[in-house]
Amino acid sequence: MRYKLTFVVGLALGYVVGTRAGRERYEQMKKSAKDFAQNPAVRNATESAAQTGRQAAGKALHVVGEKLPHSVTDRVHALRERGRGNGKVDDENWGTSNT
């Protein structure tokens, strides 16, 4: 519920700022956001956070997998393989992006 409320507040704030600022200000903010996202330091921090998240997810999957019955873990592995489309399990690149 908290995330929905945050999203709605952000959406409303963006609408108000956008309508008051006009198109020029919108383009300026868009360029600033793009420049920020393409900053090498920001990209490195983002990739580092993503890598940490992937490692934590892998560890959590392992811990949870040990505590669940085999029928459940077999079903999870089957769904992961089906989602990949090639039938191979590649835990090393699980959750990686192309960015």
Side-chain angles (χ1 to χ4, degrees):
M1 182 66 181
R2 184 179 85 184
Y3 298 111
K4 289 181 183 179
L5 181 62
T6 303
F7 176 75
V8 170
V9 169
L11 189 65
L13 183 63
Y15 177 78
V16 170
V17 169
T19 57
R20 289 187 182 190
R23 185 70 178 182
E24 291 177 26
R25 179 68 179 141
Y26 167 77
E27 292 296 335
Q28 184 183 20
M29 290 188 309
K30 184 177 164 183
K31 183 183 180 311
S32 295
K34 184 178 178 182
D35 291 344
F36 177 78
Q38 291 181 348
N39 183 326
V42 172
R43 291 178 65 89
N44 288 342
T46 302
E47 186 57 37
S48 176
Q51 181 66 27
T52 302
R54 285 190 292 272
Q55 289 172 351
K59 289 178 185 176
L61 178 65
H62 180 69
V63 169
V64 169
E66 290 178 346
K67 295 183 180 188
L68 290 175
H70 288 293
S71 61
V72 175
T73 56
D74 291 344
R75 177 75 176 140
V76 170
H77 287 296
L79 288 172
R80 284 181 65 204
E81 289 175 16
R82 186 176 74 181
R84 288 203 174 93
N86 61 8
K88 295 187 324 187
V89 176
D90 186 11
D91 288 329
E92 193 67 25
N93 293 322
W94 184 74
T96 58
S97 66
N98 291 333
T99 57

